[in-house]
Amino acid sequence: MMGDFFKGLLVMIWRVMTDQPDPKAEFLSVFPGGLQPLVSAVLSVSPIILVFATLFALTTWLERKGLGRIQNRLGPNRVGPYGLFQPIADGLKMLTKEDIVPRSADKVVHFLAPIAFLVPTLLAYAVLPYGRNLVPVNFDAGILFFFAVGASTELSIFMAGWSSRNKYSLLGAMRAIAQMISYEIPLILSSVTVIMIAGSLSLVEIVEQQGGYQFGWLPGWFVFTPWGLAGFVIFLIASLAESNRSPFDIPEAESELIAGHLTEYSGFKYALFFLAEYLGMFAVSGLAATLFLGGWRAPSPFLEWVPSYVWFLSKLVSLVCLFIWIRGTVPRLRVDQLLNFAWKFMLPMSLLNLLAAAAWHFTATWNFIGAGPGRWLLCAAMIAVPYVLLGRALTGGKKWTRRTYRFAE
């Protein structure tokens, strides 16, 4: 029995590493039929939690070191070599800090809010295709499930602000919800363009639609189209706002309403909010890679031998590094600038990008345009012209001057 167990385990690991289909079949055959669904679920959930929890720890270290270099300082350098053990020290600190709950708070809701924030974030990982045969749950409407569970995070933020019985927490929660709702609309609309072209709500099918190479070397990813590039940029900007990342980190900014909805949280509850925000950033990065960057597909034909999950994780980590770079270089927006940008620029651009995607689809069969350069120019013009006009209207015709930075004498 034990020999079959370890043999099935080794075979499963080998099949996962070599992108073979149905890698769990032989391992599950060792268990009774009634236990197989439970064991299968554990085998799907455990690697996701392990990999992304480790990625969370490494990202916090990488972000602090990266921001330190950008700001001409060292970052963590005391705990372990190059400060690598700093995430462990931070985790122990959060576990041992006192959990302070306001006397007048709704203690049940106050306790449930961080859990209600973390659980939907973890559920979103269930439908992401991590590799050629690595999909925990292959829903026909996977992208719909992703956005459905992600939309419940607004409720948890309101729970945190309302249960604290603190006017600053409540105001901060309402501002955070206003921001998330404002940017969730262009986030979803930018994804609709991919659904229109792929003709499916399945994330696995969307990745399949991005197969092949144009001109023999350019990947068939949606980002290499005019509407795909515009949708990718809109998706990334909206993802920054949804994840409360700079320059959209107003809900928790130190210069704003204290710590927003987190004012009355401390210890492990605060750490759960912190963890859920990073996991949410990883989830939307994985979705961006799936929708626009070909998911687990290789960027070049001669790199197809590399395991598919390596490409997916590489794209996800690259987007996370981009988020860190943006945090270190772009200044924070005011709340009025944030909302104006969402409703006066992002929303119209995402709607116009839908028209560009429709034109890309229907003009492919027109004789006088076809699938050649004419279609590219038409769709690019449908995006570029409104971009310039909306940008000028949003800035009010202001002339920007170069800012010169000088060290203090």
Side-chain angles (χ1 to χ4, degrees):
M1 179 67 179
M2 291 301 294
D4 294 338
F5 176 86
F6 286 109
K7 178 184 176 182
L9 181 62
L10 292 175
V11 170
M12 180 183 65
I13 294 174
W14 174 253
R15 286 182 174 177
V16 169
M17 294 178 64
T18 55
D19 284 337
Q20 296 183 30
D22 202 6
K24 296 186 291 186
E26 188 169 339
F27 181 72
L28 291 176
S29 64
V30 179
F31 298 90
L35 283 178
Q36 289 184 9
L38 178 61
V39 176
S40 178
V42 172
L43 289 174
S44 297
V45 172
S46 300
I48 294 175
I49 294 178
L50 180 63
V51 169
F52 285 99
T54 305
L55 184 60
F56 162 70
L58 293 176
T59 302
T60 56
W61 172 82
L62 177 65
E63 181 165 17
R64 294 176 66 179
K65 294 292 284 189
L67 293 178
R69 293 298 180 182
I70 291 173
Q71 297 165 357
N72 198 25
R73 54 186 177 84
L74 294 177
N77 63 343
R78 291 286 185 253
V79 188
Y82 304 102
L84 268 173
F85 296 158
Q86 187 64 48
I88 300 176
D90 291 339
L92 293 174
K93 179 187 72 173
M94 286 297 182
L95 283 171
T96 55
K97 283 186 71 173
E98 182 181 3
D99 179 25
I100 301 173
V101 181
R103 183 179 302 173
S104 60
D106 188 327
K107 293 179 175 54
V108 175
V109 180
H110 190 272
F111 174 79
L112 292 176
I115 300 174
F117 193 46
L118 179 62
V119 171
T121 305
L122 291 174
L123 286 175
Y125 287 91
V127 294
L128 291 178
Y130 302 98
R132 184 171 284 107
N133 299 297
L134 292 177
V135 187
V137 183
N138 187 8
F139 284 154
D140 290 337
I143 190 170
L144 189 62
F145 177 84
F146 186 97
F147 287 126
V149 297
S152 61
T153 56
E154 283 90 336
L155 176 61
S156 61
I157 289 178
F158 179 75
M159 289 169 61
W162 180 82
S163 65
S164 298
R165 292 291 195 273
N166 182 315
K167 61 182 179 182
Y168 297 110
S169 297
L170 183 59
L171 288 172
M174 298 308 295
R175 283 170 50 150
I177 293 170
Q179 171 180 321
M180 295 177 75
I181 292 175
S182 299
Y183 282 88
E184 196 163 355
I185 298 173
L187 181 76
I188 295 175
L189 289 177
S190 62
S191 306
V192 172
T193 56
V194 175
I195 297 170
M196 289 169 53
I197 299 299
S200 175
L201 290 167
S202 170
L203 292 174
V204 175
E205 180 63 25
I206 288 173
V207 175
E208 295 292 340
Q209 292 284 339
Q210 299 178 71
Y213 297 91
Q214 306 175 48
F215 316 114
W217 58 272
L218 183 65
W221 304 348
F222 290 143
V223 73
F224 295 117
T225 60
W227 60 268
L229 178 60
F232 179 62
V233 173
I234 293 171
F235 190 95
L236 281 186
I237 295 173
S239 299
L240 288 170
E242 286 289 301
S243 305
N244 288 333
R245 299 283 304 180
S246 181
F248 305 101
D249 56 344
I250 291 178
E252 301 164 20
E254 66 278 357
S255 61
E256 300 293 328
L257 298 174
I258 314 179
H261 57 283
L262 300 179
T263 301
E264 302 296 350
Y265 279 89
S266 62
F268 193 64
K269 293 178 185 175
Y270 182 89
L272 286 180
F273 276 105
F274 188 67
L275 171 64
E277 286 189 357
Y278 270 85
L279 291 180
M281 179 177 66
F282 299 154
V284 294
S285 298
L287 184 63
T290 301
L291 294 179
F292 300 99
L293 302 180
W296 43 261
R297 292 192 170 277
S300 180
F302 65 86
L303 294 174
E304 293 282 357
W305 60 271
V306 179
S308 57
Y309 52 85
V310 173
W311 291 119
F312 180 84
L313 288 176
S314 299
K315 296 170 186 177
L316 188 150
V317 172
S318 298
L319 292 176
V320 170
C321 291
L322 176 62
F323 286 177
I324 295 173
W325 185 15
I326 292 173
R327 180 181 176 182
T329 54
V330 181
R332 181 179 297 131
L333 297 176
R334 297 195 313 261
V335 66
D336 60 318
Q337 294 173 332
L338 183 145
L339 294 177
N340 282 337
F341 184 65
W343 294 103
K344 295 181 179 179
F345 184 83
M346 293 283 286
L347 180 59
M349 281 301 302
S350 57
L351 291 172
L352 291 167
N353 196 43
L354 284 174
L355 295 178
W360 177 270
H361 175 73
F362 288 110
T363 56
T365 58
W366 293 2
N367 294 329
F368 62 94
I369 292 181
R375 184 169 66 155
W376 283 75
L377 292 175
L378 174 64
C379 294
M382 292 179 65
I383 296 169
V385 173
Y387 170 82
V388 174
L389 296 177
L390 287 171
R392 289 181 177 178
L394 187 64
T395 57
K398 294 180 181 177
K399 293 183 178 180
W400 303 102
T401 57
R402 179 176 295 180
R403 180 178 295 178
T404 304
Y405 294 91
R406 293 187 299 271
F407 289 103
E409 296 293 339

